[in-house]
Amino acid sequence: MRNKAKLIRFLAERKMLDEPALSGELESHVYADLPAWKDFLRLLLLSLGLGFLACGILFFLAYNWADMPKAAKILLATAGVVVPVLLSLSSRFTPLVSNGLMTTGAFMVGGLFAVLGQIYQTGADAYDLFLAWWVFTLLWAIVVDFDWLWLLSLVLLNTTIGLYAEQVAFNWSSGTVWLILLLVNLSAFLGFSYFGEKARKKTYSRTFLLILALGASIMAVNGFLMELFEPEESWVGSLLLLLVPVLLAASAYLAFRRKELAYLAITAISLITISTAAIFNAVEDTEGFFLASAWVLGTTVFSSFQLNKLRKDWYHDEQ
């Protein structure tokens, strides 16, 4: 789909397609049609159904914890893992449903570990739970190679790193934590968007890649602001202050070259966030609040107009 869209834009830019032909090609290969909306709704409803099912099991355990025997707690938590995994192996389900069931089983692994830890009072730190959860489900993500299972694995890894820094690595500075999180999320984005597609011959969903890019930008902006306003005398802080502007400039340049509006929007949001925080830090009290509000409003409107203008130029959209 994306390759067809790029080809259509290439032909339109060189005046090799007239207006009727261009409109027909855009309707056929670029704009979402009824089957595309049906696929979207199918994925949305499947995700909501499996998510509510997993949360329902966990809430049922939590609400009836005092009235349930140990064996029932363990059995119910185990069933939440085993049943979805066994169902995912059935040939009666589509690959999408099977992958969703496998993701549900991986999510319920955390509930099983929490139940075991609560019953037997292992005394482990919270990061031990998330570390074990991530390790045990990482193999599932590698074998299944499903976008949202990879996303769950990445969330668990980020949580593990954050809790480890809070509960064990007391000598780590905040800049060190943000730098590690930035490198993890940036590596994940680059790995899945570039190297992963070439190595595994698979194209990951655009939504998944955008979430990874947004996660990396959040880590970058938080780390940059932390070191900018609460600097620490270390090479880590200097590296963050140097690395983040380079990454934002590189992302804007690549997004502009590749005509990716979503990545340009993420870069714009990051820059607006940093500049707004700088205003709050420079001007305190009520004046800073009103000045920052006006700045956010003005830059948001300006960015929206510019992005919309680029959308019309790049996609030949007159709407």
Side-chain angles (χ1 to χ4, degrees):
M1 180 68 75
R2 275 183 281 177
N3 292 332
K4 290 181 179 179
K6 290 179 181 179
L7 176 60
I8 293 171
R9 291 199 298 268
F10 175 82
L11 295 176
E13 289 170 356
R14 285 152 180 80
K15 308 300 182 182
M16 299 174 69
L17 284 177
D18 55 16
E19 286 299 325
L22 175 60
S23 299
E25 292 297 322
L26 290 174
E27 290 289 343
S28 301
H29 302 293
V30 178
Y31 298 148
D33 52 8
L34 183 59
W37 279 108
K38 287 183 178 179
D39 291 338
F40 168 75
L41 290 176
R42 187 180 297 111
L43 177 61
L44 176 64
L45 294 177
L46 175 65
S47 302
L48 290 176
L50 293 176
F52 286 146
L53 175 63
C55 293
I57 295 175
L58 295 178
F59 279 115
F60 180 83
L61 273 170
Y63 186 79
N64 297 281
W65 184 265
D67 301 324
M68 295 177 65
K70 293 182 180 179
K73 299 172 184 176
I74 297 175
L75 182 61
L76 183 59
T78 305
V81 177
V82 174
V83 173
V85 172
L86 292 179
L87 288 176
S88 69
L89 301 178
S90 173
S91 58
R92 300 181 59 182
F93 297 110
T94 63
L96 177 61
V97 175
S98 297
N99 291 334
L101 289 169
M102 186 66 75
T103 305
T104 304
F107 178 80
M108 290 303 300
V109 168
L112 176 60
F113 284 164
V115 168
L116 294 176
Q118 188 67 27
I119 290 177
Y120 296 105
Q121 294 296 320
T122 58
D125 293 323
Y127 93 92
D128 290 318
L129 167 66
F130 285 93
L131 177 61
W133 190 358
W134 175 69
V135 170
F136 274 85
T137 56
L138 179 61
L139 181 60
W140 297 13
I142 295 174
V143 174
V144 177
D145 198 17
F146 183 50
D147 301 9
W148 307 110
L149 185 52
W150 277 116
L151 183 62
L152 173 62
S153 180
L154 187 61
V155 170
L156 294 176
L157 179 57
N158 278 269
T159 307
T160 302
I161 294 173
L163 291 175
Y164 179 81
E166 180 181 341
Q167 299 175 351
V168 178
F170 300 108
N171 59 330
W172 285 9
S173 64
S174 60
T176 302
V177 179
W178 287 116
L179 180 60
I180 293 175
L181 292 174
L182 170 59
L183 294 178
V184 167
N185 289 273
L186 182 62
S187 300
F189 171 71
L190 294 176
F192 285 108
S193 58
Y194 296 104
F195 308 112
E197 291 186 8
K198 294 180 180 179
R200 309 201 69 164
K201 306 299 181 183
K202 176 181 177 178
T203 302
Y204 295 92
S205 69
R206 180 176 177 81
T207 304
F208 172 66
L209 296 178
L210 286 175
I211 292 175
L212 296 184
L214 183 61
S217 68
I218 290 174
M219 303 306 171
V221 170
N222 282 332
F224 183 82
L225 292 177
M226 186 68 66
E227 291 300 324
L228 184 64
F229 301 132
E230 298 180 5
E232 299 178 359
E233 298 298 330
S234 66
W235 63 271
V236 175
S238 302
L239 180 60
L240 270 174
L241 294 177
L242 177 64
L243 179 62
V244 172
V246 172
L247 288 177
L248 291 177
S251 64
Y253 173 77
L254 292 176
F256 192 84
R257 286 290 302 272
R258 297 169 67 92
K259 298 183 178 180
E260 294 283 358
L261 280 177
Y263 297 114
L264 272 179
I266 291 176
T267 305
I269 292 172
S270 301
L271 294 175
I272 292 173
T273 303
I274 292 175
S275 57
T276 304
I279 293 175
F280 269 118
N281 187 69
V283 183
E284 298 180 355
D285 299 328
T286 308
E287 293 81 2
F289 174 78
F290 284 109
L291 183 60
S293 300
W295 172 257
V296 170
L297 180 61
T299 52
T300 301
V301 172
F302 175 78
S303 300
S304 300
F305 275 109
Q306 292 302 314
L307 291 172
N308 190 48
K309 181 181 178 181
L310 289 175
R311 178 182 63 83
K312 293 179 179 179
D313 294 339
W314 290 348
Y315 300 104
H316 303 276
D317 191 352
E318 299 300 329
Q319 297 180 354

